[in-house]
Amino acid sequence: MNIMDFNVKKLAADAGTFLSRAVQFTEEKLGQAEKTELDAHLENLLSKAECTKIWTEKIMKQTEVLLQPNPNARIEEFVYEKLDRKAPSRINNPELLGQYMIDAGTEFGPGTAYGNALIKCGETQKRIGTADRELIQTSALNFLTPLRNFIEGDYKTIAKERKLLQNKRLDLDAAKTRLKKAKAAETKASQLNSARLEGDNNMVNFSYMLNFLHVKWLKSEQELRITQSEFDRQAEITRLLLEGISSTHAHHLRCLNDFVEAQMTYYAQCYQYMLDLQKQLGSFPSSYCNNNQTSVAPVPSASSNVIGSSTLTSTSGLVIASPTNLNDLKECSGSRKARVLYDYDAANSSELSLLADEVITVFSVVGMDSDWLMGERGNQKGRVPITYLELLN
């Protein structure tokens, strides 16, 4: 029974406090009550915290979109995270593209120029997919997790204390209003008493009313001191929490550096993978000029160092074809053996398709374009671009 009485009393007190705050808040909005303003430093800290929260949420959400463009996959990961379970691993887009390329190359035949190129591209795409997976994992751990911890942890604590500070301010202003009203009532009663109304009963009634108003005034003063003390204490707690925002910015800066480093590693890996692939495939011609039965020979990548100003000799005894060697060969009536540096798909029936590392016979034909030689492999014969060849001694 005592517990029930206590709960009822507490419920009534809480309801009275809530009603008092609601009345004070409404009167402030209507301009009918005074409002205690926070000091400028605290207001600046509150503004800084709110700004940090808004931009942190935007950066975090957009980073998630960057790392995982598929909204369904993001929702699935969110659900598994809330269930505290590990999301199932799934193949990403580069890995899926790589697998399709490898399957297609196998179907067309690894011995064909196109099939061989597809397999090489597919293997590179799968390596890019692995690098992409590593970027997502590193970024989630070193960048997204600290941002999420701030939003779901530190800022929630700040918001809770900020709301409590708002309630303490409403209590303080409500106490100020009650004290102001009590003083006004006592002053008015004193003025009436000074008129010295006739009759003992009237004098007794006014004396009783004055004593009652004086007690109420003293009680309002005591309540004001208590609410002022609680407000000051809560303002100090909130200020200490808000001053930690500067430390949060410093921590997020370190996380941002980690994110940039992860991106730098990822793009460097992708660049190296594509550079290696380019060296394997060479630069395939994008267009051919068939006017007057002439063609423009494709030029391999600048990074391949195939064309040089002089003859370069390797440890295997091979001589890389330089312009001088090829010109000598074109002026010679004989034939030479040459190793193919890059895969090449014939553009028409007059050309010969090539596979990297195979050895063919080449010779010059009078009247042929200067960028081409005639190549021969068994019974197959056709024009080949000189920049794809490495002459053998």
Side-chain angles (χ1 to χ4, degrees):
M1 188 68 181
N2 293 333
I3 297 177
M4 184 177 296
D5 290 341
F6 174 76
N7 290 337
V8 171
K9 291 179 180 179
K10 185 177 184 302
L11 181 62
D14 291 343
T17 302
F18 176 79
L19 180 61
S20 175
R21 291 170 179 171
V23 170
Q24 178 65 28
F25 182 79
T26 303
E27 289 180 348
E28 288 177 358
K29 291 297 183 181
L30 296 176
Q32 299 175 357
E34 296 182 359
K35 176 181 177 182
T36 300
E37 299 294 340
L38 303 177
D39 64 86
H41 178 60
L42 187 56
E43 287 285 3
N44 289 335
L45 290 176
L46 288 170
S47 177
K48 184 178 181 180
E50 183 67 19
C51 183
T52 301
K53 179 250 185 182
I54 292 173
W55 285 111
T56 300
E57 283 184 333
K58 289 183 178 181
I59 292 172
M60 182 179 68
K61 290 179 180 179
Q62 193 56 39
T63 303
E64 291 174 344
V65 172
L66 173 68
L67 297 176
Q68 178 52 269
N70 188 342
N72 295 329
R74 291 200 305 274
I75 293 174
E76 183 183 34
E77 291 172 358
F78 175 79
V79 171
Y80 274 100
E81 181 182 350
K82 292 302 179 183
L83 295 175
D84 197 19
R85 295 178 60 185
K86 184 178 180 181
S89 179
R90 60 161 51 85
I91 189 170
N92 57 29
N93 291 331
E95 290 174 333
L96 184 61
L97 174 60
Q99 190 59 52
Y100 285 165
M101 286 183 170
I102 292 174
D103 293 344
T106 303
E107 183 74 18
F108 295 148
T112 64
Y114 183 45
N116 183 267
L118 279 173
I119 292 175
K120 290 179 179 178
C121 289
E123 292 171 348
T124 300
Q125 290 296 331
K126 296 188 78 171
R127 285 195 289 268
I128 291 176
T130 301
D132 184 67
R133 194 182 299 276
E134 293 174 355
L135 171 65
I136 293 175
Q137 293 174 351
T138 304
S139 300
L141 179 63
N142 296 335
F143 187 59
L144 288 177
T145 299
L147 297 186
R148 189 176 291 108
N149 289 341
F150 168 73
I151 296 297
E152 298 179 356
D154 296 347
Y155 189 79
K156 278 191 175 180
T157 303
I158 291 174
K160 179 182 177 181
E161 297 299 330
R162 182 179 182 177
K163 183 178 180 181
L164 189 56
L165 177 64
Q166 172 75 355
N167 290 336
K168 295 298 182 184
R169 185 196 63 75
L170 290 172
D171 293 341
L172 174 61
D173 289 337
K176 288 180 179 180
T177 301
R178 284 192 292 270
L179 178 60
K180 186 177 180 181
K181 290 180 179 179
K183 285 183 177 180
E186 185 179 22
T187 301
K188 186 174 182 180
S190 298
Q191 291 174 350
L192 291 174
N193 187 45
S194 63
R196 297 183 178 273
L197 298 176
E198 296 181 357
D200 292 338
N201 290 335
N202 289 335
M203 289 298 296
V204 170
N205 290 336
F206 271 105
S207 178
Y208 175 78
M209 183 177 67
L210 284 174
N211 290 333
F212 173 77
L213 292 174
H214 184 68
V215 171
K216 187 176 181 181
W217 175 65
L218 292 177
K219 184 178 179 181
S220 298
E221 275 194 333
Q222 183 182 8
E223 183 184 10
L224 177 60
R225 286 194 296 269
I226 294 174
T227 54
Q228 182 70 57
S229 175
E230 291 179 349
F231 171 76
D232 293 340
R233 183 170 59 253
Q234 184 59 38
E236 182 64 18
I237 293 173
T238 307
R239 183 184 64 80
L240 291 174
L241 283 173
L242 291 171
E243 287 177 346
I245 291 294
S246 298
S247 300
T248 299
H249 284 187
H251 178 54
H252 288 180
L253 175 59
R254 292 192 295 271
C255 297
L256 180 62
N257 288 333
D258 292 339
F259 178 57
V260 171
E261 184 176 350
Q263 282 188 305
M264 181 184 67
T265 301
Y266 168 72
Y267 289 120
Q269 286 178 327
C270 293
Y271 174 76
Q272 188 60 49
Y273 293 153
M274 298 311 295
L275 194 63
D276 295 340
L277 178 63
Q278 188 183 41
K279 289 180 180 179
Q280 294 180 46
L281 299 181
S283 298
F284 292 100
S286 58
S287 62
Y288 292 86
C289 178
N290 294 319
N291 295 333
N292 299 324
Q293 301 298 319
T294 60
S295 301
V296 179
V299 181
S301 168
S303 62
S304 62
N305 294 326
V306 174
I307 304 301
S309 60
S310 62
T311 302
L312 301 178
T313 305
S314 66
T315 56
S316 62
L318 298 178
V319 178
I320 298 179
S322 68
T324 304
N325 296 115
L326 295 172
N327 288 336
D328 292 343
L329 176 61
K330 292 183 71 65
E331 294 174 358
C332 178
S333 59
S335 62
R336 293 279 297 276
K337 292 291 185 180
R339 184 174 69 87
V340 179
L341 297 173
Y342 309 100
D343 292 348
Y344 175 69
D345 282 334
N348 51 55
S349 59
S350 67
E351 298 177 6
L352 181 66
S353 295
L354 303 174
L355 288 176
D357 295 328
E358 70 173 329
V359 178
I360 63 173
T361 301
V362 294
F363 54 91
S364 62
V365 175
V366 178
M368 182 177 290
D369 188 275
S370 60
D371 292 330
W372 297 79
L373 288 172
M374 186 61 70
E376 189 174 30
R377 179 180 56 223
N379 295 329
Q380 296 178 328
K381 184 184 296 186
R383 297 186 307 146
V384 294
I386 62 175
T387 51
Y388 277 60
L389 302 175
E390 185 179 53
L391 294 181
L392 304 179
N393 285 336

